[in-house]
């Protein structure tokens, strides 16, 4: 049995996930908590936010994020990829920086016009 606090909504339900019985979830007040508890133990994912270098902009770093959750185990690999990226201004919100990062189906996109 694993204890978690759900981050699916502001309520913060205290979840108990039973791995030995099909990842059953107790303590959730909604379906979001049930899905979060199960996913967090079977295949945890996160939206990655970071910055990359940019040339010709007002600032030397440009904020980026994945447009969908990626496997948590791939976060450091993705950060290494982003370390090698240098954008050229101008860029617009939603411009793709890296496609299908870590074979996750998610793209890294720009989050600020620069």
């Amino acid at each position: 049995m694993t204890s978690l606090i759900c981050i699916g909504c502001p309520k913060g339900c205290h979840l108990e996930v039973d791995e030995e019985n099909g990842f059953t979830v107790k303590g959730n007040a909604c379906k979001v908590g049930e899905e979060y508890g199960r996913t967090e133990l079977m295949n945890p994912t996160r939206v990655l936010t970071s910055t990359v270098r940019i040339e010709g902009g007002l600032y030397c770093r440009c904020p980026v994020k994945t447009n969908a959750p990626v496997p948590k185990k791939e976060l450091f690999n993705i950060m290494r990829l982003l370390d090698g990226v240098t954008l050229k201004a101008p860029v617009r919100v939603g411009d793709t920086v890296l496609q299908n990062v870590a074979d996750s189906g998610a793209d890294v996109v720009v989050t600020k016009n620069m």
Side-chain angles (χ1 to χ4, degrees):
M1 190 78 72
T2 300
S3 298
L4 299 169
I5 297 176
C6 181
I7 60 171
C9 76
K11 199 169 190 179
C13 295
H14 291 261
L15 308 177
E16 295 288 330
V17 183
D18 189 354
E19 304 92 341
E20 295 176 8
N21 291 314
F23 293 93
T24 55
V25 179
K26 295 179 183 172
N28 56 303
C30 66
K31 289 283 186 188
V32 173
E34 183 178 358
E35 182 62 27
Y36 172 78
R38 188 174 291 113
T39 302
E40 189 61 17
L41 292 184
M42 294 173 67
N43 183 28
T45 60
R46 300 289 186 271
V47 171
L48 175 67
T49 60
S50 187
T51 61
V52 296
R53 291 178 198 86
I54 186 167
E55 295 175 348
L58 182 60
Y59 304 104
C60 62
R61 305 290 294 180
C62 178
V64 297
K65 73 176 194 89
T66 56
N67 62 357
V70 295
K72 187 176 175 183
K73 65 183 179 184
E74 295 295 333
L75 293 178
F76 287 107
N77 293 332
I78 296 168
M79 291 298 292
R80 276 191 283 282
L81 291 172
L82 290 175
D83 191 42
V85 171
T86 301
L87 301 176
K88 304 255 190 269
V91 294
R92 296 275 173 234
V93 170
D95 287 353
T96 301
V97 177
L98 295 173
Q99 290 183 325
N100 191 26
V101 68
D103 292 324
S104 65
D107 297 337
V108 177
V109 297
V110 172
T111 60
K112 181 177 178 154
N113 294 332
M114 294 183 76

